[in-house]
Amino acid sequence: MKKIGIIGYGWLGERIASSLSGKYTISATTTTENKAEDLNNKGMNAVVASFPDYQLTEPVPQWEEVKNIDILIITIPVSEKSCCVSSLYNRIQNLSAFIGDFTGQMFLMSSTGVYPDLPKEFTEEDVPFENVSGERMLRNKYPQLSILRLGGLMGDNRLLKNYNVGNLDHAVNHIHYADISAIITQMIENKAEAKLYNVTAPIHPAKSQVINVQKNIPDEEVFEIKGKKVLSSKLISELDYVFQYPDPRTFHL
């Protein structure tokens, strides 16, 4: 059975692990002793690790388990929106020290936030990874890295109606966590490497349409949907992937 390492066992990491646990042995990092202990009690190999965005006096020790891992999935944020470029560089240096010269299949959970907030349809070619500091730094160190630019994470307890949102006539770029897990699984089986994909549900209703259906409110108004749409057509074409949840209006069903 192949071994998967998940760096960052948060909301998404937990759901990816749950989906893959039957086919793969899972190791993970978390930020608290309690959570690591809980995961270890459930039969997972978990360690406490953090990757600060400053230079440490002592380098982060390499993960003991990494030499046994076949596939790495990184879910911790490596975007400039969460820190400046110099801080980002430190975070990635700390992460790289932890995983060493890993040569197996590797995935970075990036974000569609790399695209500017403009009213147009975006494909991967509009913003190549070379133009995104965190993506570029990691791909330069790990050329096999596949970058998945995830839309807004939804499913389970994450419903748009629970959030205070503006621009209700703007399109959503959402993704159900079940599709993220299924896409990773398919890429693992295809031995895909060095890919760059937008991962968003292919249908882009307006925020108001998603909220209304979640609140069981009739949606009779017809209007022009504004804002940006991040397209997953490259993913669909290259992987021949069929989304389990193509329409964000059905994520809650």
Side-chain angles (χ1 to χ4, degrees):
M1 193 180 276
K2 282 194 170 180
K3 296 186 176 179
I4 287 183
I6 297 177
I7 295 182
Y9 193 88
W11 188 90
L12 178 60
E14 180 181 354
R15 281 155 182 78
I16 293 173
S18 176
S19 169
L20 300 178
S21 59
K23 300 178 184 173
Y24 303 94
T25 304
I26 309 286
S27 299
T29 75
T30 182
T31 52
T32 67
E33 290 285 357
N34 284 349
K35 196 166 181 184
E37 189 178 338
D38 183 45
L39 294 178
N40 283 317
N41 288 339
K42 291 176 180 173
M44 194 180 294
N45 187 332
V47 296
V48 176
S50 61
F51 311 99
D53 49 18
Y54 50 85
Q55 204 163 1
L56 299 169
T57 50
E58 293 286 325
V60 174
Q62 187 170 319
W63 193 9
E64 276 290 312
E65 185 62 19
V66 80
K67 58 183 179 291
N68 302 318
I69 286 172
D70 302 293
I71 300 138
L72 263 183
I73 300 170
I74 300 167
T75 73
I76 62 168
V78 290
S79 72
E80 287 172 59
K81 289 193 174 180
S82 58
C83 57
C84 63
V85 175
S86 58
S87 300
L88 189 59
Y89 174 80
N90 291 330
R91 179 178 300 172
I92 288 172
Q93 287 297 103
N94 291 329
L95 173 62
S96 300
F98 184 71
I99 58 180
D101 296 323
F102 184 77
T103 57
Q105 228 178 343
M106 199 169 176
F107 298 88
L108 171 66
M109 303 299 105
S110 186
S111 166
T112 54
V114 303
Y115 298 104
D117 212 1
L118 297 172
K120 62 166 281 188
E121 295 183 335
F122 285 97
T123 69
E124 293 83 353
E125 291 177 357
D126 290 306
V127 181
F129 77 86
E130 291 91 347
N131 294 7
V132 182
S133 299
E135 293 179 357
R136 182 182 68 249
M137 289 177 200
L138 269 174
R139 177 67 82 79
N140 285 348
K141 182 145 184 68
Y142 302 100
Q144 78 274 28
L145 178 75
S146 286
I147 299 162
L148 303 184
R149 291 175 175 167
L150 309 181
L153 303 178
M154 293 290 165
D156 282 353
N157 55 337
R158 286 201 178 190
L159 297 173
L160 196 59
K161 69 174 184 179
N162 299 334
Y163 298 87
N164 185 17
V165 295
N167 298 324
L168 291 173
D169 58 351
H170 281 49
V172 299
N173 296 286
H174 286 170
I175 183 67
H176 194 289
Y177 68 84
D179 277 307
I180 299 171
S181 299
I183 288 162
I184 291 171
T185 299
Q186 191 166 327
M187 291 180 73
I188 290 171
E189 289 168 357
N190 292 358
K191 298 183 168 56
E193 291 196 331
K195 300 294 184 182
L196 172 63
Y197 291 136
N198 294 331
V199 183
T200 56
I203 298 171
H204 302 267
K207 296 176 188 177
S208 64
Q209 293 173 316
V210 176
I211 291 168
N212 285 345
V213 75
Q214 289 173 357
K215 291 183 172 180
N216 208 18
I217 297 170
D219 196 28
E220 294 167 7
E221 188 184 357
V222 177
F223 57 89
E224 180 193 354
I225 299 174
K226 299 176 182 174
K228 74 177 178 184
K229 293 181 182 177
V230 179
L231 306 183
S232 54
S233 37
K234 180 184 173 190
L235 164 85
I236 293 166
S237 167
E238 291 191 5
L239 292 182
D240 199 20
Y241 183 72
V242 178
F243 278 79
Q244 297 175 29
Y245 293 89
D247 189 342
R249 286 169 291 197
T250 66
F251 282 11
H252 63 297
L253 301 178

